[in-house]
Amino acid sequence: MPTNFTVVPVEDTPISNPDYDEEINKEENKEETCTAAGPNSGDETPRETSSLISTDHDDSIYGKNMALYEDEMDSTPMVSSLLNKLANYTNITQGRVTVNVSLQTDSLSYITEMFSFYVSICLKGPQMGTFIGVFLPCMQNILGVILFLRLTWIVGTAGIMEALAIVFMCCSCTMLTAISMSAIATNGVVPAGGSYYMISRALGPEFGGAVGLCVYLGTTFAGSMYILGTMEIFLTYIMPNAAVFEAESREPTGMQNNMRIYGTCCLVIMTLVVFVGVKYVNKMALVFLSCVMLSIMAIYAGVIQSAIKPPNSQHRVCLLGNRTLQNSRFDKCEKTELINNVTTPTQLWKLFCTGGIENATCDEYFTHNNLTEIQAVRGLLSGVISDNMWGHYGQYRDIVSPERASDKSDESHYVLHDVTTFFTLLVGIYFPSVTGIMAGSNRSGDLRDPQRSIPTGTIMAIATTSIIYLSCVVLFGACIEGVVLRDKYGESVNGTLAVATLAWPSSWVIVIGSFFSCCGAGLQSLTGAPRILQAIARDGIMPFLQVFGHSKSNGEPTWALLLTAAICEIGILIGSLDHVAPILSMFFLMCYLFVNLACAVQTLLRTPNWRPRFKFYHWSLSFLGMSLSLSLMFVSSWYYAFVVILFSGCIYKYIEYRGAEKEWGDGIRGLSLNAAQYALIKLEEAPPHTKNWRPQLLVLLKLDSDLGVKHPCLLSFTSQLKAGKGLTIVCSVLEGTYMAREADNIKAAMAKEKTKGFCHVVVSSNQRDGFSHLIQSAGLGGMKHNSVLMAWPANWKQAESSLSWKNFIETIRETTAAHQALLVAKNIDKFPTNQDRLDEGTIDVWWIVHDGGLLMLLPFLLRQHKVWRRCKMRIFTVAQMDDNSIQMKKDLQMFLYHLRLDAKVEVVEMHAGDISAFTYEKTLVMEQRSQMLKQMQLSKTEREREAQLIHDRNTKSHATLNDKATPTSDRVHMTWTKEKLISERNRHREAHMTVRDIFNMKPEWENLDQTNVRRMHTAVKLNEVVVKKSKGAKLVLLNMPGPPKNKGGDENYMEFLEVLTEGLERVLLVRGSSREVITIYS
């Protein structure tokens, strides 16, 4: 868990005071711990960016000599002041309630970043060296239950060669991990919290939280394993008569139930001990470690004794043929014995025979095979090493025998295999014996020089334990008989622990030493696991864990301890050490994998802050350690590996979406920056292919007077169109100067509307220049926008808003000049939100001119979103007199088929009818209003009244002309014939007007009025057709005509667009970039 700090300001002393300096030097020489006092702030842990530096300065000191910097002295203090303030803070021993000091000034980020380095020099705390602080804790955590209870069984089952391979793989994994951990631990101060703190600060809160929980669960299940080991030693080797249930077959019924009952009782006792007196647990750590070391010394002494002196007959094994017998059921390895010259059956005889010697009925195998008694410990020089060199794997319920092929039996008087054995099972059971390498880094807050002690002590401990394990594998195989090694519970040697048969001077040294070793390891697990959970909870990255960050007045994590005990009970209820060991192996291997990944990422990225004092590391070693950890996970248990990876992935996604935001300068952020840089450079090498084209949107937002988003539905439509794919830049322009304006709340609106993208706000003297700059410069490298989305200026007819439609038209011209597509959403406030679900309707596309195919691509993209998913797509196109409408429809259907678009096709035929009186009136009113607004300098009130008067007259004229209009003038013919075509040509030869006029607005200065009339006529007629066909559509997409090249007609252009879209609820005007964006090819 992270080191807790209590920050105490000490009274300032003038820098130039020699008495004060002398006093400080004396205190440093004595290495006395400063007294601490100060307010407590609950359960928050200090962050790296916390500002602990006061920027107050004395004008009498800095006023003359440093007048050049006096204006910025509040935000950038003098170096002498910085060092003086750092020396005035002290550290409290681990377990005290902490103070959360927030960052006061953004400009102090550099100073606060240096704090983690200076604090390790200036702060005082408990001082421990490498041997006591790192080496011994690692030794205690590495050496334990597997060494005494399972290593002999692994050697006998796998053989010496395969056992050496298992030990070598596991020790190599931990050694490579220790090298990576040493590099991370020496790259700045690592508070207590060990692997969780290192990984979270190196790879970010997501990885840190996921792996932190893995470490917590691994430590918790380790407690279960140690308690089960303690109970196995107690019930099998110390007090077998204490069993509640009969354990004839050991597994899976009687033995497991005994372990569950006694293990639960032991867990309750250990939890109470940890709850009441953690300090006593820490004080007893050396006692427990002494038991481990004495036991190991007894093993080596027994090996030496077996080489010097022939083995005694204390431990002997009885074999019936090649079957190993449980000699706890008889006293002599004989079928009969001679008592008073009378042949008498032995206890062994009675196990296999019924009746007397003369008329006995015996087991057939017993009758045809002789009894053999061999030494359990044959000695170092006996040559038994050749028999134990290779594996003797067995099936469940097989009889343990000297031969590789064995028989099955249900007889309780044979020694049986309690589980089917294979190589990968042994790897999973053995790996917990090499865990515990993080014990030194977890105590970094208590070390005198953690930068030197952690690498030295950890690597020395791993090297020492590796030598012990490797030597034990060879010595066990060279001294002990194979059937004894494969006898997991020592049933062939009167219930004696297999490794204890080799001990000197007595087997009880191993039994008692291993018992207390397992007890101590279990207590240490129950002490350390709650603190890891408390550190995660106090970081606030997972809200549901906040309750476990609370503690008692002395800092002990009460709620975390209760949860740890509950999870530990789950492991105890499994009831088998062999089944629990692979579970905690998965959690620790996942932790080691990410420690190596963190070191490799930091090394390859070469971040400026990566400056570890430990120099003997390389990214290739970290990568090898990461690969070995992942391989061991799947070798040990592939299904457990998948479960742990899935668990870590779920925690990662939970923190990503629901957890608190943390910025720790992690390596993943640097990796993302490097990947982004590489991708941007690659994108810029060549323009995107048509198959990869998608709208990369630049969304132009308008803000209200309170700097709020004026049209939130524009953001909703953006998310529906993009669905998080591709580039989205949401931007806005603030009028004013850069120094005087602040950022707006666009990001909050984007989050509310679930719009994924970037936010860009530009401060400019006017909006026109701001939007122009955004269109030109938004994006970076090859990741630039190719489409612009904006809302229709709904209030453009108001006189005081002339800038609105002028800016709108200039934006159209600039997007056209930049070869970018333009999307204009009219009536945007009526568009559906992300919470709406449109019923079955249509998305109508009016494909009048071809400008790249964007019109047909947009409905397809919209229908991918759940809001528009039920809508059908319809495509309308316009046929003129020279066109064959039937062939056009066939060609269009074939074109859509090749495009893989499912849409209904309809061809609309429009004839060039007479220009109606309404069109002339509409044009006349438009020009009159334009001229009046240009020539007359009206006040704001007069302009509003004039605009309203013109609007009323326009409405009245429209209603009158509609009553007088003949039905033939508005008729639309849907089928053309040859005769009809010739007739229409003769009637309207002199007034030949086509729908293309509105899209080919080439100003004719000679006859300006007639040009406006023709364009208005086309807008009116096309609007009539669109309204008739698509009035009920959920969305209408329409080609947007370009503005006139003569800027004098801009206001008329707005009127044309208004007439073109009149009577439609939702309209999206689309103006393509003239490049193909959709293709029929794969």
Side-chain angles (χ1 to χ4, degrees), residues 790-798 801-810 812-813 824 826 922 926 929 998 1001 1016 1019 1040-1044 1047-1062 1069:
M790 61 187 304
W792 173 265
N795 58 347
W796 70 272
K797 287 188 177 181
Q798 298 180 8
S801 302
S802 60
L803 284 178
S804 175
W805 58 265
K806 289 181 179 179
N807 292 342
F808 174 76
I809 296 176
E810 286 302 315
I812 299 175
R813 289 193 173 101
V824 178
K826 189 176 181 184
K922 191 81 173 176
M926 176 186 69
R929 187 177 71 89
I998 195 171
M1001 290 186 173
M1016 182 63 73
M1040 181 179 185
K1047 295 186 178 182
D1050 285 353
E1051 63 275 12
N1052 296 336
Y1053 171 73
M1054 295 296 295
E1055 188 69 38
F1056 295 146
L1057 295 182
E1058 190 73 55
V1059 173
L1060 181 63
T1061 58
E1062 189 175 0
L1069 295 173

Side-chain angles (χ1 to χ4, degrees), residues 115 443 699:
F115 172 73
R443 304 187 179 198
V699 184

